[in-house]
Short mmCIF file of all heavy atoms in Angstrom, two decimals:
data_model
loop_
_atom_site.label_atom_id
_atom_site.label_comp_id
_atom_site.label_asym_id
_atom_site.label_seq_id
_atom_site.Cartn_x
_atom_site.Cartn_y
_atom_site.Cartn_z
N ALA A 2 0.80 -1.24 -0.01
CA ALA A 2 -0.01 0.02 0.07
C ALA A 2 0.84 1.24 -0.01
O ALA A 2 0.55 2.19 -0.78
CB ALA A 2 -0.94 -0.01 1.27
N THR A 3 1.89 1.30 0.75
CA THR A 3 2.73 2.48 0.93
C THR A 3 3.51 2.69 -0.29
O THR A 3 3.59 3.70 -0.95
CB THR A 3 3.66 2.38 2.13
OG1 THR A 3 2.89 2.16 3.34
CG2 THR A 3 4.54 3.67 2.30
N SER A 4 4.13 1.50 -0.88
CA SER A 4 4.95 1.62 -2.11
C SER A 4 4.07 1.77 -3.31
O SER A 4 4.56 2.31 -4.33
CB SER A 4 5.92 0.48 -2.14
OG SER A 4 5.21 -0.74 -2.24
N GLY A 5 2.94 1.19 -3.27
CA GLY A 5 2.01 1.26 -4.43
C GLY A 5 1.75 2.69 -4.87
O GLY A 5 1.61 2.98 -6.03
N VAL A 6 1.65 3.60 -3.97
CA VAL A 6 1.45 5.05 -4.21
C VAL A 6 2.61 5.51 -5.05
O VAL A 6 2.53 6.24 -6.02
CB VAL A 6 1.27 5.80 -2.93
CG1 VAL A 6 1.26 7.37 -3.23
CG2 VAL A 6 -0.06 5.40 -2.26
N ALA A 7 3.83 5.14 -4.69
CA ALA A 7 5.05 5.56 -5.34
C ALA A 7 5.18 4.99 -6.75
O ALA A 7 5.94 5.65 -7.59
CB ALA A 7 6.26 5.30 -4.47
N VAL A 8 4.62 3.90 -7.03
CA VAL A 8 4.73 3.30 -8.42
C VAL A 8 3.35 3.37 -9.18
O VAL A 8 3.19 2.59 -10.06
CB VAL A 8 5.18 1.77 -8.20
CG1 VAL A 8 6.56 1.71 -7.73
CG2 VAL A 8 4.19 0.92 -7.50
N ASP A 9 2.60 4.39 -8.73
CA ASP A 9 1.39 4.75 -9.51
C ASP A 9 0.30 3.61 -9.50
O ASP A 9 -0.34 3.38 -10.50
CB ASP A 9 1.74 5.19 -10.92
CG ASP A 9 0.59 5.91 -11.59
OD1 ASP A 9 -0.27 6.52 -10.93
OD2 ASP A 9 0.43 5.77 -12.83
N ARG A 10 0.23 2.90 -8.37
CA ARG A 10 -0.77 1.93 -8.25
C ARG A 10 -1.65 2.03 -6.91
O ARG A 10 -1.81 1.07 -6.17
CB ARG A 10 -0.10 0.44 -8.29
CG ARG A 10 0.48 0.32 -9.64
CD ARG A 10 1.13 -1.13 -9.61
NE ARG A 10 1.44 -1.39 -11.03
CZ ARG A 10 1.61 -2.55 -11.57
NH1 ARG A 10 1.38 -3.62 -10.79
NH2 ARG A 10 1.92 -2.62 -12.78
N SER A 11 -2.10 3.19 -6.71
CA SER A 11 -2.76 3.46 -5.40
C SER A 11 -4.11 2.71 -5.25
O SER A 11 -4.39 2.21 -4.21
CB SER A 11 -2.99 4.99 -5.18
OG SER A 11 -3.86 5.51 -6.17
N ALA A 12 -4.86 2.55 -6.31
CA ALA A 12 -6.07 1.79 -6.24
C ALA A 12 -5.83 0.37 -5.88
O ALA A 12 -6.54 -0.21 -5.02
CB ALA A 12 -6.90 1.98 -7.57
N GLU A 13 -4.92 -0.29 -6.62
CA GLU A 13 -4.55 -1.67 -6.24
C GLU A 13 -4.03 -1.79 -4.98
O GLU A 13 -4.34 -2.74 -4.18
CB GLU A 13 -3.41 -2.11 -7.33
CG GLU A 13 -2.94 -3.54 -7.03
CD GLU A 13 -1.70 -3.92 -7.80
OE1 GLU A 13 -1.52 -3.30 -8.97
OE2 GLU A 13 -0.97 -4.78 -7.46
N ALA A 14 -3.11 -0.82 -4.48
CA ALA A 14 -2.65 -0.94 -3.13
C ALA A 14 -3.72 -0.83 -2.08
O ALA A 14 -3.70 -1.48 -1.09
CB ALA A 14 -1.59 0.27 -2.98
N ARG A 15 -4.61 0.12 -2.23
CA ARG A 15 -5.72 0.18 -1.31
C ARG A 15 -6.48 -1.07 -1.26
O ARG A 15 -6.97 -1.58 -0.14
CB ARG A 15 -6.72 1.29 -1.81
CG ARG A 15 -6.21 2.73 -1.55
CD ARG A 15 -7.26 3.69 -1.97
NE ARG A 15 -6.93 4.97 -2.18
CZ ARG A 15 -7.08 5.96 -1.34
NH1 ARG A 15 -7.61 5.77 -0.20
NH2 ARG A 15 -6.69 7.23 -1.68
N GLU A 16 -6.77 -1.73 -2.39
CA GLU A 16 -7.62 -2.95 -2.36
C GLU A 16 -6.87 -4.07 -1.67
O GLU A 16 -7.47 -4.84 -0.80
CB GLU A 16 -7.93 -3.36 -3.79
CG GLU A 16 -8.72 -4.59 -3.88
CD GLU A 16 -10.12 -4.52 -3.27
OE1 GLU A 16 -10.51 -3.46 -2.91
OE2 GLU A 16 -10.77 -5.53 -3.14
N ARG A 17 -5.56 -4.20 -1.92
CA ARG A 17 -4.76 -5.23 -1.29
C ARG A 17 -4.80 -5.00 0.25
O ARG A 17 -4.85 -5.93 1.07
CB ARG A 17 -3.30 -5.16 -1.69
CG ARG A 17 -3.12 -5.82 -3.05
CD ARG A 17 -3.06 -7.30 -2.96
NE ARG A 17 -2.38 -8.00 -3.98
CZ ARG A 17 -1.15 -7.91 -4.43
NH1 ARG A 17 -0.34 -6.98 -3.87
NH2 ARG A 17 -0.65 -8.71 -5.32
N LEU A 18 -4.63 -3.74 0.67
CA LEU A 18 -4.66 -3.44 2.06
C LEU A 18 -6.02 -3.75 2.65
O LEU A 18 -6.14 -4.37 3.80
CB LEU A 18 -4.41 -1.91 2.30
CG LEU A 18 -4.29 -1.37 3.71
CD1 LEU A 18 -3.21 -2.10 4.46
CD2 LEU A 18 -4.02 0.13 3.69
N ARG A 19 -7.07 -3.37 2.05
CA ARG A 19 -8.44 -3.75 2.57
C ARG A 19 -8.72 -5.23 2.77
O ARG A 19 -9.14 -5.63 3.77
CB ARG A 19 -9.48 -3.20 1.50
CG ARG A 19 -10.98 -3.30 1.99
CD ARG A 19 -11.96 -3.09 0.98
NE ARG A 19 -11.85 -3.96 -0.19
CZ ARG A 19 -12.27 -5.29 -0.09
NH1 ARG A 19 -12.76 -5.81 0.98
NH2 ARG A 19 -12.19 -6.07 -1.22
N ILE A 20 -8.14 -6.01 1.80
CA ILE A 20 -8.41 -7.42 1.86
C ILE A 20 -7.52 -8.01 3.12
O ILE A 20 -8.06 -8.78 3.83
CB ILE A 20 -8.03 -8.10 0.53
CG1 ILE A 20 -9.04 -7.80 -0.53
CG2 ILE A 20 -7.88 -9.65 0.79
CD1 ILE A 20 -8.56 -8.15 -1.91
N ALA A 21 -6.35 -7.57 3.18
CA ALA A 21 -5.54 -8.08 4.26
C ALA A 21 -6.09 -7.72 5.68
O ALA A 21 -6.09 -8.42 6.54
CB ALA A 21 -4.07 -7.51 4.15
N LEU A 22 -6.59 -6.40 5.75
CA LEU A 22 -7.06 -5.99 7.09
C LEU A 22 -8.35 -6.63 7.48
O LEU A 22 -8.72 -6.54 8.63
CB LEU A 22 -7.07 -4.44 7.08
CG LEU A 22 -5.70 -3.72 7.18
CD1 LEU A 22 -5.99 -2.26 7.10
CD2 LEU A 22 -4.97 -4.13 8.35
N GLU A 23 -9.11 -7.13 6.46
CA GLU A 23 -10.31 -7.74 6.84
C GLU A 23 -10.08 -9.00 7.72
O GLU A 23 -10.89 -9.44 8.44
CB GLU A 23 -11.08 -8.20 5.49
CG GLU A 23 -11.87 -7.17 4.88
CD GLU A 23 -12.53 -7.57 3.56
OE1 GLU A 23 -12.26 -8.77 3.11
OE2 GLU A 23 -13.25 -6.78 2.96
N ARG A 24 -8.87 -9.55 7.47
CA ARG A 24 -8.50 -10.78 8.31
C ARG A 24 -7.73 -10.41 9.58
O ARG A 24 -7.38 -11.25 10.26
CB ARG A 24 -7.55 -11.66 7.37
CG ARG A 24 -8.29 -12.14 6.19
CD ARG A 24 -7.39 -12.90 5.25
NE ARG A 24 -6.49 -13.89 5.92
CZ ARG A 24 -5.35 -14.47 5.41
NH1 ARG A 24 -4.99 -14.04 4.21
NH2 ARG A 24 -4.70 -15.30 5.98
N TRP A 25 -7.61 -9.13 9.84
CA TRP A 25 -6.81 -8.64 11.01
C TRP A 25 -7.71 -8.26 12.14
O TRP A 25 -8.88 -7.93 11.85
CB TRP A 25 -5.90 -7.49 10.58
CG TRP A 25 -4.80 -7.25 11.59
CD1 TRP A 25 -4.69 -6.14 12.36
CD2 TRP A 25 -3.70 -8.11 11.92
NE1 TRP A 25 -3.58 -6.28 13.16
CE2 TRP A 25 -2.97 -7.45 12.83
CE3 TRP A 25 -3.17 -9.33 11.37
CZ2 TRP A 25 -1.82 -8.01 13.48
CZ3 TRP A 25 -2.14 -9.83 11.95
CH2 TRP A 25 -1.38 -9.20 12.94
#
């Protein structure tokens, strides 16, 4: 999520973060 912003993939990064945190 943090690095995804730097590589122009903020939407993908947000989605990956959302999925991971659903299990946290």
